[in-house]
Amino acid sequence: MSLGRKMGAEVAERYAADKELAAGLRDRLADAQEAESRLRSAQAEHRPYDEVRRLAIAYDRALFDALAAANAAERVAMGPKTYEFGDAAQRRGAQIAARRARAKPSVRPYTDEADRLRSLREAHKLSFRTSPSIAS
């Protein structure tokens, strides 16, 4: 018999999906690291632009997937009562619960990892153009 708060069907479904996505976080991080090493080696070898562009797009995609898994892992660590649903009062309660959960030491590593991946993705987008410039 559970004494905790009952979870709605929608929240249970989203929580299960996040658990499944979060389980693959390590694999997605490894994929992103591998994609970055392929891109950096192609740049160092001065490969053709089309090949480097393809690798840059693959690296961005790998970072996006890793970021999605990190965000899911953070939501799983915060718990099901942080999922927004229902009327305004329930959504506000979930927002407050999420803010409180982010302050817990058990959730902080996931938040830091998501922030790190977000920064990596933005730095990559700013440092590599996927379309040729006028000067090229």
Side-chain angles (χ1 to χ4, degrees):
M1 182 169 106
S2 172
L3 297 177
R5 190 171 124 188
K6 286 189 178 181
M7 210 183 330
E10 178 187 341
V11 172
E13 184 178 307
R14 289 170 48 198
Y15 185 70
D18 280 344
K19 268 186 154 179
E20 185 178 323
L21 186 59
L25 177 60
R26 287 186 193 270
D27 294 335
R28 290 171 191 252
L29 288 173
D31 292 344
Q33 192 171 21
E34 183 180 328
E36 181 185 19
S37 66
R38 277 187 266 137
L39 172 63
R40 301 298 175 224
S41 67
Q43 287 174 331
E45 295 170 4
H46 302 290
R47 297 262 177 96
Y49 175 79
D50 291 337
E51 183 179 346
V52 173
R53 180 180 183 274
R54 183 180 51 79
L55 291 171
I57 292 171
Y59 176 51
D60 183 58
R61 188 58 168 155
L63 281 175
F64 178 80
D65 292 342
L67 181 60
N71 286 334
E74 180 186 28
R75 288 190 299 270
V76 167
M78 288 191 303
K81 71 181 198 176
T82 61
Y83 285 81
E84 293 184 22
F85 71 99
D87 63 359
Q90 290 172 326
R91 286 193 309 269
R92 183 64 182 150
Q95 291 169 353
I96 292 169
R99 191 175 312 122
R100 285 182 181 164
R102 278 191 197 98
K104 291 181 182 176
S106 61
V107 176
R108 193 70 197 161
Y110 298 108
T111 304
D112 291 342
E113 185 66 20
D115 290 343
R116 184 184 74 84
L117 289 168
R118 206 171 285 115
S119 297
L120 273 174
R121 187 164 184 241
E122 287 302 315
H124 171 66
K125 282 183 168 187
L126 291 172
S127 68
F128 189 83
R129 292 187 181 144
T130 56
S131 62
S133 66
I134 295 172
S136 297

